[in-house]
Amino acid sequence: MVEQAQQPETQEAQRVVFVGAESTGKSTLSDYLARAYGTVSVPEIGRFIWEEKQGRLNADDYVEIAIRHREAEDAAMPQARRWLFVDTNALTTLLLGIQFRQVGNPPPAELLRCADDCRTRYAHTFVCADDIPYEEQEVRENEAWRGRIQQLVIADLEARGIPYTVVHGSIEQRAAQVQRVLEGRASRQDQQTRFTNA
């Protein structure tokens, strides 16, 4: 069970993103935490477009996914309290487009811009570990693909110098790990604010 700490109602919510390969529990965790914190979450927009077009995407589609995902985040911000939990971001959109060979080299400039913006757009990045059973779905690849993409996601974060935390275990265990990181971050920010205002 996630215990909520008090936060001033006037403080703007911060974005928290969950990344990882398919079937790593990103949407489940973001929805779970949104309910626990009494806030909202943003689903993976790319999945809707992928299903709608049955996986037959081109570079323009990936640009659309990145832009629509950002728009969904922005639209959810006024309803968010303290944290806005986000399932996936433009980094994964770019990576998948390249791996599926549906985005060429060089990728569209707007897609690169959205991906680069992920360095500062999110208060914290969590990687959902691939230590849960793989769930077969028609729109998914396979477990070997999951493992490969998972490694690429982490390598990309490290190459870009984006700090991240890998969460493991059950949904409750993962939520507790996220809470420890976020509450520690909030406590440090509060201390910095008091120091600045002293």
Side-chain angles (χ1 to χ4, degrees):
M1 180 67 180
V2 174
E3 296 180 0
Q4 298 187 48
Q6 295 298 315
Q7 181 196 40
E9 291 295 329
T10 56
Q11 185 172 334
E12 185 179 29
Q14 297 184 70
R15 295 176 173 88
V16 175
V17 66
F18 299 96
V19 298
E22 62 185 20
S23 190
T24 53
K26 301 182 299 294
S27 59
T28 300
L29 183 56
S30 60
D31 290 345
Y32 181 95
L33 286 164
R35 291 192 299 271
Y37 276 96
T39 184
V40 293
S41 63
V42 177
E44 181 185 359
I45 302 300
R47 180 170 181 171
F48 303 142
I49 296 176
W50 179 271
E51 292 176 352
E52 176 185 323
K53 299 195 174 185
Q54 298 181 321
R56 294 189 288 271
L57 274 59
N58 57 36
D60 290 339
D61 292 319
Y62 284 92
V63 173
E64 179 187 359
I65 288 169
I67 292 174
R68 284 179 55 181
H69 194 94
R70 288 169 59 94
E71 290 173 347
E73 291 180 19
D74 293 341
M77 281 294 283
Q79 288 77 47
R81 298 179 56 196
R82 195 177 188 200
W83 310 108
L84 175 65
F85 295 109
V86 181
D87 176 359
T88 310
N89 62 16
L91 287 177
T92 304
T93 301
L94 172 61
L95 187 153
L96 290 176
I98 293 172
Q99 294 305 309
F100 279 121
R101 299 182 180 179
Q102 294 174 324
V103 170
N105 188 21
E110 184 67 6
L111 182 54
L112 289 174
R113 185 188 70 79
C114 290
D116 289 341
D117 190 47
C118 293
R119 297 174 188 266
T120 56
R121 186 172 177 83
Y122 304 97
H124 199 80
T125 298
F126 290 93
V127 178
C128 291
D130 56 353
D131 60 350
I132 59 176
Y134 183 81
E135 292 187 8
E136 297 281 354
Q137 290 186 9
E138 187 176 347
V139 295
R140 289 179 172 167
E141 297 299 309
N142 53 55
E143 191 167 3
W145 171 268
R146 178 178 75 164
R148 179 169 173 270
I149 296 300
Q150 188 77 353
Q151 293 177 354
L152 291 174
V153 167
I154 292 175
D156 189 34
L157 292 172
E158 293 182 349
R160 293 173 181 272
I162 298 176
Y164 65 90
T165 302
V166 180
V167 292
H168 302 267
S170 67
I171 183 68
E172 294 81 9
Q173 291 170 327
R174 292 178 177 212
Q177 292 162 38
V178 171
Q179 181 188 20
R180 285 194 294 271
V181 172
L182 296 185
E183 298 304 339
R185 181 185 182 90
S187 177
R188 290 192 298 273
Q189 289 178 336
D190 185 54
Q191 290 173 358
Q192 291 172 354
T193 300
R194 288 201 299 268
F195 178 79
T196 302
N197 293 336

Short mmCIF file of all heavy atoms in Angstrom, two decimals, residues 2 16-20 23-43 83-88 124-129 131-132 135 140 165-182:
data_model
loop_
_atom_site.label_atom_id
_atom_site.label_comp_id
_atom_site.label_asym_id
_atom_site.label_seq_id
_atom_site.Cartn_x
_atom_site.Cartn_y
_atom_site.Cartn_z
N VAL A 2 0.62 2.18 -0.90
CA VAL A 2 1.40 3.41 -0.98
C VAL A 2 0.84 4.43 -0.02
O VAL A 2 -0.35 4.73 -0.03
CB VAL A 2 1.35 3.98 -2.42
CG1 VAL A 2 2.03 5.34 -2.47
CG2 VAL A 2 2.01 3.02 -3.39
N VAL A 16 6.35 11.46 -14.16
CA VAL A 16 7.15 10.27 -13.85
C VAL A 16 6.87 9.26 -14.95
O VAL A 16 5.71 8.92 -15.19
CB VAL A 16 6.79 9.69 -12.47
CG1 VAL A 16 7.54 8.38 -12.23
CG2 VAL A 16 7.09 10.69 -11.37
N VAL A 17 7.91 8.77 -15.61
CA VAL A 17 7.70 7.89 -16.76
C VAL A 17 8.20 6.47 -16.48
O VAL A 17 9.21 6.28 -15.79
CB VAL A 17 8.38 8.46 -18.03
CG1 VAL A 17 9.89 8.48 -17.91
CG2 VAL A 17 7.95 7.68 -19.28
N PHE A 18 7.48 5.50 -17.03
CA PHE A 18 7.84 4.09 -16.94
C PHE A 18 8.18 3.60 -18.34
O PHE A 18 7.34 3.69 -19.25
CB PHE A 18 6.71 3.26 -16.33
CG PHE A 18 6.36 3.70 -14.94
CD1 PHE A 18 5.31 4.58 -14.71
CD2 PHE A 18 7.10 3.24 -13.86
CE1 PHE A 18 5.01 5.00 -13.44
CE2 PHE A 18 6.79 3.66 -12.56
CZ PHE A 18 5.75 4.54 -12.35
N VAL A 19 9.38 3.09 -18.51
CA VAL A 19 9.80 2.58 -19.81
C VAL A 19 10.22 1.12 -19.67
O VAL A 19 10.33 0.58 -18.57
CB VAL A 19 10.95 3.42 -20.40
CG1 VAL A 19 10.51 4.86 -20.62
CG2 VAL A 19 12.19 3.38 -19.49
N GLY A 20 10.46 0.50 -20.81
CA GLY A 20 10.82 -0.91 -20.83
C GLY A 20 10.22 -1.55 -22.07
O GLY A 20 9.43 -0.93 -22.79
N SER A 23 5.32 -6.00 -22.43
CA SER A 23 5.00 -6.99 -21.40
C SER A 23 5.98 -6.94 -20.22
O SER A 23 6.43 -7.96 -19.72
CB SER A 23 4.99 -8.41 -22.00
OG SER A 23 4.45 -9.33 -21.08
N THR A 24 6.27 -5.71 -19.78
CA THR A 24 7.07 -5.56 -18.56
C THR A 24 6.27 -4.89 -17.45
O THR A 24 6.83 -4.56 -16.40
CB THR A 24 8.36 -4.75 -18.82
OG1 THR A 24 8.04 -3.51 -19.48
CG2 THR A 24 9.33 -5.54 -19.69
N GLY A 25 4.98 -4.67 -17.68
CA GLY A 25 4.12 -4.17 -16.61
C GLY A 25 4.05 -2.66 -16.48
O GLY A 25 3.63 -2.16 -15.44
N LYS A 26 4.40 -1.94 -17.53
CA LYS A 26 4.41 -0.47 -17.45
C LYS A 26 3.01 0.10 -17.22
O LYS A 26 2.81 0.94 -16.33
CB LYS A 26 5.00 0.12 -18.74
CG LYS A 26 6.42 -0.33 -19.03
CD LYS A 26 6.96 0.32 -20.29
CE LYS A 26 6.18 -0.02 -21.54
NZ LYS A 26 6.27 -1.47 -21.89
N SER A 27 2.05 -0.32 -18.03
CA SER A 27 0.70 0.24 -17.90
C SER A 27 0.06 -0.18 -16.59
O SER A 27 -0.62 0.63 -15.93
CB SER A 27 -0.16 -0.20 -19.08
OG SER A 27 -0.24 -1.61 -19.16
N THR A 28 0.30 -1.41 -16.17
CA THR A 28 -0.26 -1.89 -14.91
C THR A 28 0.28 -1.07 -13.75
O THR A 28 -0.48 -0.65 -12.85
CB THR A 28 0.09 -3.37 -14.69
OG1 THR A 28 -0.45 -4.14 -15.77
CG2 THR A 28 -0.47 -3.88 -13.37
N LEU A 29 1.58 -0.81 -13.75
CA LEU A 29 2.18 -0.06 -12.65
C LEU A 29 1.76 1.40 -12.65
O LEU A 29 1.46 1.97 -11.59
CB LEU A 29 3.71 -0.16 -12.74
CG LEU A 29 4.49 0.51 -11.61
CD1 LEU A 29 4.08 -0.03 -10.24
CD2 LEU A 29 6.00 0.33 -11.83
N SER A 30 1.72 2.03 -13.81
CA SER A 30 1.33 3.45 -13.85
C SER A 30 -0.12 3.63 -13.41
O SER A 30 -0.44 4.57 -12.67
CB SER A 30 1.55 4.03 -15.26
OG SER A 30 0.79 3.34 -16.22
N ASP A 31 -1.00 2.71 -13.81
CA ASP A 31 -2.40 2.80 -13.38
C ASP A 31 -2.52 2.54 -11.87
O ASP A 31 -3.29 3.21 -11.18
CB ASP A 31 -3.25 1.79 -14.15
CG ASP A 31 -3.43 2.16 -15.61
OD1 ASP A 31 -3.14 3.32 -15.97
OD2 ASP A 31 -3.84 1.29 -16.39
N TYR A 32 -1.78 1.57 -11.38
CA TYR A 32 -1.81 1.22 -9.95
C TYR A 32 -1.37 2.42 -9.11
O TYR A 32 -2.03 2.77 -8.11
CB TYR A 32 -0.89 0.03 -9.71
CG TYR A 32 -0.83 -0.45 -8.28
CD1 TYR A 32 -1.64 -1.49 -7.83
CD2 TYR A 32 0.05 0.12 -7.36
CE1 TYR A 32 -1.58 -1.95 -6.51
CE2 TYR A 32 0.12 -0.32 -6.05
CZ TYR A 32 -0.69 -1.35 -5.63
OH TYR A 32 -0.62 -1.80 -4.33
N LEU A 33 -0.29 3.06 -9.51
CA LEU A 33 0.23 4.19 -8.74
C LEU A 33 -0.70 5.41 -8.83
O LEU A 33 -0.84 6.15 -7.87
CB LEU A 33 1.63 4.55 -9.21
CG LEU A 33 2.71 3.56 -8.77
CD1 LEU A 33 3.98 3.75 -9.59
CD2 LEU A 33 3.00 3.73 -7.29
N ALA A 34 -1.31 5.58 -9.99
CA ALA A 34 -2.25 6.70 -10.14
C ALA A 34 -3.41 6.55 -9.15
O ALA A 34 -3.82 7.52 -8.50
CB ALA A 34 -2.77 6.77 -11.57
N ARG A 35 -3.93 5.34 -9.02
CA ARG A 35 -5.01 5.10 -8.06
C ARG A 35 -4.51 5.29 -6.62
O ARG A 35 -5.19 5.89 -5.78
CB ARG A 35 -5.58 3.70 -8.23
CG ARG A 35 -6.35 3.48 -9.52
CD ARG A 35 -7.13 2.17 -9.50
NE ARG A 35 -6.24 1.03 -9.36
CZ ARG A 35 -5.68 0.38 -10.38
NH1 ARG A 35 -5.90 0.78 -11.62
NH2 ARG A 35 -4.90 -0.67 -10.16
N ALA A 36 -3.30 4.80 -6.34
CA ALA A 36 -2.77 4.88 -4.98
C ALA A 36 -2.51 6.32 -4.56
O ALA A 36 -2.73 6.68 -3.40
CB ALA A 36 -1.47 4.07 -4.89
N TYR A 37 -2.08 7.15 -5.48
CA TYR A 37 -1.76 8.55 -5.17
C TYR A 37 -2.94 9.49 -5.43
O TYR A 37 -2.83 10.70 -5.22
CB TYR A 37 -0.55 9.02 -5.98
CG TYR A 37 0.79 8.65 -5.36
CD1 TYR A 37 1.47 7.52 -5.76
CD2 TYR A 37 1.37 9.46 -4.39
CE1 TYR A 37 2.70 7.19 -5.20
CE2 TYR A 37 2.60 9.15 -3.83
CZ TYR A 37 3.26 8.01 -4.24
OH TYR A 37 4.48 7.69 -3.67
N GLY A 38 -4.04 8.95 -5.90
CA GLY A 38 -5.19 9.80 -6.18
C GLY A 38 -4.93 10.78 -7.31
O GLY A 38 -5.40 11.92 -7.29
N THR A 39 -4.20 10.32 -8.32
CA THR A 39 -3.88 11.19 -9.45
C THR A 39 -4.27 10.49 -10.75
O THR A 39 -5.17 9.63 -10.74
CB THR A 39 -2.38 11.55 -9.43
OG1 THR A 39 -2.10 12.48 -10.49
CG2 THR A 39 -1.48 10.33 -9.55
N VAL A 40 -3.67 10.86 -11.86
CA VAL A 40 -4.02 10.29 -13.15
C VAL A 40 -2.77 9.73 -13.84
O VAL A 40 -1.64 10.05 -13.46
CB VAL A 40 -4.69 11.33 -14.08
CG1 VAL A 40 -6.05 11.72 -13.53
CG2 VAL A 40 -3.79 12.56 -14.23
N SER A 41 -3.00 8.89 -14.83
CA SER A 41 -1.91 8.32 -15.61
C SER A 41 -2.18 8.54 -17.09
O SER A 41 -3.32 8.78 -17.50
CB SER A 41 -1.74 6.82 -15.31
OG SER A 41 -2.91 6.11 -15.69
N VAL A 42 -1.13 8.44 -17.88
CA VAL A 42 -1.23 8.59 -19.34
C VAL A 42 -0.86 7.26 -19.98
O VAL A 42 0.23 6.74 -19.75
CB VAL A 42 -0.30 9.70 -19.85
CG1 VAL A 42 -0.37 9.81 -21.38
CG2 VAL A 42 -0.67 11.04 -19.21
N PRO A 43 -1.75 6.69 -20.78
CA PRO A 43 -1.46 5.39 -21.41
C PRO A 43 -0.47 5.53 -22.56
O PRO A 43 -0.15 6.64 -23.01
CB PRO A 43 -2.83 4.94 -21.91
CG PRO A 43 -3.52 6.22 -22.23
CD PRO A 43 -3.07 7.20 -21.16
N TRP A 83 1.97 13.85 -8.77
CA TRP A 83 2.68 13.12 -9.82
C TRP A 83 1.75 12.82 -10.98
O TRP A 83 0.57 12.55 -10.78
CB TRP A 83 3.25 11.80 -9.30
CG TRP A 83 4.04 11.89 -8.03
CD1 TRP A 83 3.65 11.44 -6.80
CD2 TRP A 83 5.34 12.45 -7.84
NE1 TRP A 83 4.62 11.68 -5.86
CE2 TRP A 83 5.69 12.30 -6.47
CE3 TRP A 83 6.27 13.06 -8.71
CZ2 TRP A 83 6.90 12.75 -5.95
CZ3 TRP A 83 7.47 13.50 -8.19
CH2 TRP A 83 7.78 13.34 -6.83
N LEU A 84 2.30 12.84 -12.19
CA LEU A 84 1.60 12.35 -13.38
C LEU A 84 2.37 11.12 -13.85
O LEU A 84 3.54 11.23 -14.25
CB LEU A 84 1.57 13.40 -14.49
CG LEU A 84 0.96 12.93 -15.82
CD1 LEU A 84 -0.52 12.61 -15.65
CD2 LEU A 84 1.17 13.98 -16.91
N PHE A 85 1.75 9.96 -13.78
CA PHE A 85 2.42 8.72 -14.14
C PHE A 85 2.20 8.43 -15.63
O PHE A 85 1.06 8.37 -16.09
CB PHE A 85 1.91 7.58 -13.26
CG PHE A 85 2.26 7.77 -11.81
CD1 PHE A 85 1.27 8.08 -10.88
CD2 PHE A 85 3.57 7.66 -11.38
CE1 PHE A 85 1.59 8.26 -9.54
CE2 PHE A 85 3.90 7.84 -10.04
CZ PHE A 85 2.92 8.14 -9.12
N VAL A 86 3.30 8.23 -16.34
CA VAL A 86 3.27 8.13 -17.79
C VAL A 86 3.81 6.78 -18.26
O VAL A 86 4.90 6.36 -17.85
CB VAL A 86 4.11 9.27 -18.42
CG1 VAL A 86 4.05 9.19 -19.94
CG2 VAL A 86 3.61 10.63 -17.94
N ASP A 87 3.07 6.12 -19.12
CA ASP A 87 3.46 4.84 -19.69
C ASP A 87 4.19 5.09 -21.00
O ASP A 87 3.55 5.46 -22.00
CB ASP A 87 2.21 3.97 -19.90
CG ASP A 87 2.51 2.64 -20.59
OD1 ASP A 87 3.67 2.38 -20.92
OD2 ASP A 87 1.55 1.87 -20.80
N THR A 88 5.53 4.96 -20.99
CA THR A 88 6.36 5.07 -22.19
C THR A 88 6.56 6.53 -22.60
O THR A 88 5.79 7.41 -22.21
CB THR A 88 5.76 4.27 -23.37
OG1 THR A 88 5.46 2.94 -22.92
CG2 THR A 88 6.71 4.18 -24.53
N HIS A 124 11.52 11.73 -12.99
CA HIS A 124 12.29 10.50 -12.82
C HIS A 124 11.83 9.47 -13.83
O HIS A 124 10.67 9.46 -14.25
CB HIS A 124 12.12 9.93 -11.41
CG HIS A 124 13.21 8.97 -11.04
ND1 HIS A 124 14.46 9.38 -10.63
CD2 HIS A 124 13.26 7.61 -11.07
CE1 HIS A 124 15.22 8.32 -10.39
NE2 HIS A 124 14.51 7.23 -10.66
N THR A 125 12.78 8.63 -14.23
CA THR A 125 12.52 7.55 -15.18
C THR A 125 12.69 6.21 -14.48
O THR A 125 13.73 5.97 -13.85
CB THR A 125 13.50 7.63 -16.38
OG1 THR A 125 13.30 8.88 -17.07
CG2 THR A 125 13.27 6.48 -17.34
N PHE A 126 11.67 5.38 -14.58
CA PHE A 126 11.73 4.03 -14.02
C PHE A 126 11.70 3.02 -15.17
O PHE A 126 10.92 3.17 -16.11
CB PHE A 126 10.54 3.77 -13.10
CG PHE A 126 10.58 4.55 -11.82
CD1 PHE A 126 9.95 5.78 -11.72
CD2 PHE A 126 11.26 4.06 -10.71
CE1 PHE A 126 9.99 6.51 -10.54
CE2 PHE A 126 11.31 4.78 -9.52
CZ PHE A 126 10.67 6.01 -9.44
N VAL A 127 12.55 2.01 -15.06
CA VAL A 127 12.55 0.92 -16.03
C VAL A 127 11.87 -0.28 -15.38
O VAL A 127 12.30 -0.74 -14.31
CB VAL A 127 13.98 0.53 -16.46
CG1 VAL A 127 13.94 -0.66 -17.42
CG2 VAL A 127 14.69 1.72 -17.09
N CYS A 128 10.82 -0.76 -15.99
CA CYS A 128 10.13 -1.94 -15.48
C CYS A 128 10.90 -3.18 -15.94
O CYS A 128 11.06 -3.40 -17.15
CB CYS A 128 8.69 -1.99 -15.98
SG CYS A 128 7.63 -0.72 -15.27
N ALA A 129 11.38 -3.96 -14.99
CA ALA A 129 12.21 -5.13 -15.31
C ALA A 129 11.40 -6.19 -16.05
O ALA A 129 10.17 -6.27 -15.91
CB ALA A 129 12.80 -5.72 -14.03
N ASP A 131 11.22 -9.26 -15.45
CA ASP A 131 11.24 -10.42 -14.56
C ASP A 131 9.85 -10.95 -14.24
O ASP A 131 9.66 -11.69 -13.28
CB ASP A 131 11.98 -10.09 -13.26
CG ASP A 131 11.33 -8.95 -12.48
OD1 ASP A 131 10.42 -8.28 -13.03
OD2 ASP A 131 11.74 -8.71 -11.32
N ILE A 132 8.87 -10.56 -15.05
CA ILE A 132 7.51 -11.07 -14.88
C ILE A 132 7.18 -11.94 -16.09
O ILE A 132 7.80 -11.80 -17.15
CB ILE A 132 6.48 -9.93 -14.73
CG1 ILE A 132 6.51 -9.01 -15.96
CG2 ILE A 132 6.75 -9.13 -13.46
CD1 ILE A 132 5.45 -7.92 -15.93
N GLU A 135 3.40 -12.09 -21.44
CA GLU A 135 2.01 -12.31 -21.82
C GLU A 135 1.88 -12.22 -23.34
O GLU A 135 2.11 -11.18 -23.93
CB GLU A 135 1.11 -11.27 -21.15
CG GLU A 135 1.00 -11.42 -19.64
CD GLU A 135 -0.03 -10.49 -19.03
OE1 GLU A 135 -0.78 -9.83 -19.81
OE2 GLU A 135 -0.11 -10.41 -17.80
N ARG A 140 1.87 -8.29 -30.05
CA ARG A 140 3.22 -8.35 -29.52
C ARG A 140 4.11 -9.29 -30.34
O ARG A 140 3.63 -10.09 -31.13
CB ARG A 140 3.18 -8.79 -28.05
CG ARG A 140 2.62 -7.73 -27.12
CD ARG A 140 2.56 -8.19 -25.69
NE ARG A 140 2.18 -7.09 -24.80
CZ ARG A 140 1.82 -7.24 -23.54
NH1 ARG A 140 1.79 -8.45 -23.00
NH2 ARG A 140 1.50 -6.19 -22.79
N THR A 165 15.84 4.21 -12.53
CA THR A 165 15.76 3.18 -11.50
C THR A 165 15.02 1.98 -12.08
O THR A 165 13.93 2.14 -12.63
CB THR A 165 15.01 3.69 -10.26
OG1 THR A 165 15.66 4.85 -9.75
CG2 THR A 165 14.94 2.62 -9.18
N VAL A 166 15.60 0.80 -11.95
CA VAL A 166 14.93 -0.42 -12.39
C VAL A 166 14.09 -0.96 -11.23
O VAL A 166 14.59 -1.08 -10.11
CB VAL A 166 15.95 -1.49 -12.84
CG1 VAL A 166 15.22 -2.75 -13.30
CG2 VAL A 166 16.85 -0.95 -13.94
N VAL A 167 12.81 -1.24 -11.49
CA VAL A 167 11.94 -1.80 -10.46
C VAL A 167 11.64 -3.26 -10.79
O VAL A 167 11.43 -3.63 -11.94
CB VAL A 167 10.63 -0.99 -10.31
CG1 VAL A 167 10.94 0.39 -9.74
CG2 VAL A 167 9.90 -0.84 -11.64
N HIS A 168 11.64 -4.09 -9.74
CA HIS A 168 11.50 -5.54 -9.90
C HIS A 168 10.32 -6.05 -9.07
O HIS A 168 9.82 -5.38 -8.18
CB HIS A 168 12.77 -6.24 -9.41
CG HIS A 168 14.02 -5.81 -10.11
ND1 HIS A 168 14.51 -6.46 -11.21
CD2 HIS A 168 14.89 -4.79 -9.85
CE1 HIS A 168 15.63 -5.87 -11.61
NE2 HIS A 168 15.89 -4.86 -10.80
N GLY A 169 9.93 -7.30 -9.37
CA GLY A 169 9.01 -8.03 -8.51
C GLY A 169 7.55 -7.82 -8.84
O GLY A 169 7.18 -7.43 -9.97
N SER A 170 6.71 -8.07 -7.84
CA SER A 170 5.26 -7.95 -8.00
C SER A 170 4.85 -6.49 -8.13
O SER A 170 5.66 -5.57 -7.91
CB SER A 170 4.55 -8.56 -6.78
OG SER A 170 4.82 -7.77 -5.63
N ILE A 171 3.58 -6.26 -8.46
CA ILE A 171 3.09 -4.89 -8.58
C ILE A 171 3.25 -4.14 -7.27
O ILE A 171 3.63 -2.96 -7.26
CB ILE A 171 1.62 -4.88 -9.07
CG1 ILE A 171 1.12 -3.46 -9.27
CG2 ILE A 171 0.72 -5.64 -8.11
CD1 ILE A 171 1.77 -2.73 -10.41
N GLU A 172 2.98 -4.80 -6.15
CA GLU A 172 3.12 -4.15 -4.85
C GLU A 172 4.58 -3.84 -4.55
O GLU A 172 4.90 -2.76 -4.02
CB GLU A 172 2.54 -5.04 -3.74
CG GLU A 172 1.04 -5.25 -3.80
CD GLU A 172 0.63 -6.33 -4.81
OE1 GLU A 172 1.52 -7.03 -5.33
OE2 GLU A 172 -0.58 -6.45 -5.08
N GLN A 173 5.47 -4.75 -4.88
CA GLN A 173 6.90 -4.51 -4.65
C GLN A 173 7.41 -3.38 -5.52
O GLN A 173 8.18 -2.52 -5.06
CB GLN A 173 7.68 -5.81 -4.93
CG GLN A 173 7.44 -6.90 -3.91
CD GLN A 173 8.04 -8.24 -4.34
OE1 GLN A 173 8.10 -8.56 -5.53
NE2 GLN A 173 8.50 -9.02 -3.37
N ARG A 174 6.97 -3.36 -6.75
CA ARG A 174 7.40 -2.28 -7.65
C ARG A 174 6.87 -0.93 -7.18
O ARG A 174 7.60 0.07 -7.21
CB ARG A 174 6.90 -2.57 -9.08
CG ARG A 174 7.58 -3.77 -9.72
CD ARG A 174 7.05 -4.06 -11.10
NE ARG A 174 7.76 -5.18 -11.72
CZ ARG A 174 7.99 -5.32 -13.01
NH1 ARG A 174 7.52 -4.41 -13.85
NH2 ARG A 174 8.65 -6.36 -13.47
N ALA A 175 5.61 -0.91 -6.75
CA ALA A 175 5.04 0.35 -6.26
C ALA A 175 5.80 0.86 -5.05
O ALA A 175 6.04 2.07 -4.92
CB ALA A 175 3.56 0.15 -5.93
N ALA A 176 6.19 -0.04 -4.15
CA ALA A 176 6.94 0.35 -2.96
C ALA A 176 8.31 0.91 -3.34
O ALA A 176 8.79 1.89 -2.74
CB ALA A 176 7.09 -0.83 -2.01
N GLN A 177 8.95 0.32 -4.36
CA GLN A 177 10.24 0.82 -4.82
C GLN A 177 10.10 2.21 -5.42
O GLN A 177 10.93 3.10 -5.18
CB GLN A 177 10.82 -0.15 -5.85
CG GLN A 177 11.22 -1.50 -5.27
CD GLN A 177 11.38 -2.58 -6.33
OE1 GLN A 177 11.88 -2.33 -7.43
NE2 GLN A 177 10.92 -3.79 -6.03
N VAL A 178 9.05 2.42 -6.21
CA VAL A 178 8.80 3.74 -6.79
C VAL A 178 8.56 4.77 -5.68
O VAL A 178 9.10 5.87 -5.71
CB VAL A 178 7.60 3.69 -7.75
CG1 VAL A 178 7.19 5.10 -8.18
CG2 VAL A 178 7.93 2.84 -8.98
N GLN A 179 7.75 4.39 -4.70
CA GLN A 179 7.43 5.31 -3.62
C GLN A 179 8.69 5.76 -2.89
O GLN A 179 8.86 6.95 -2.59
CB GLN A 179 6.47 4.67 -2.62
CG GLN A 179 6.09 5.62 -1.49
CD GLN A 179 5.29 4.94 -0.40
OE1 GLN A 179 5.33 3.71 -0.27
NE2 GLN A 179 4.57 5.71 0.39
N ARG A 180 9.59 4.83 -2.60
CA ARG A 180 10.82 5.20 -1.89
C ARG A 180 11.62 6.22 -2.67
O ARG A 180 12.15 7.18 -2.11
CB ARG A 180 11.66 3.95 -1.62
CG ARG A 180 11.12 3.08 -0.49
CD ARG A 180 12.14 2.07 -0.02
NE ARG A 180 12.45 1.07 -1.04
CZ ARG A 180 11.80 -0.07 -1.19
NH1 ARG A 180 10.76 -0.35 -0.39
NH2 ARG A 180 12.15 -0.93 -2.12
N VAL A 181 11.72 6.03 -3.97
CA VAL A 181 12.47 6.97 -4.81
C VAL A 181 11.79 8.33 -4.84
O VAL A 181 12.43 9.37 -4.66
CB VAL A 181 12.64 6.41 -6.23
CG1 VAL A 181 13.26 7.47 -7.15
CG2 VAL A 181 13.51 5.17 -6.22
N LEU A 182 10.48 8.33 -5.08
CA LEU A 182 9.76 9.61 -5.21
C LEU A 182 9.70 10.37 -3.89
O LEU A 182 9.85 11.59 -3.86
CB LEU A 182 8.35 9.36 -5.75
CG LEU A 182 8.27 8.79 -7.17
CD1 LEU A 182 6.82 8.71 -7.62
CD2 LEU A 182 9.09 9.61 -8.14
#
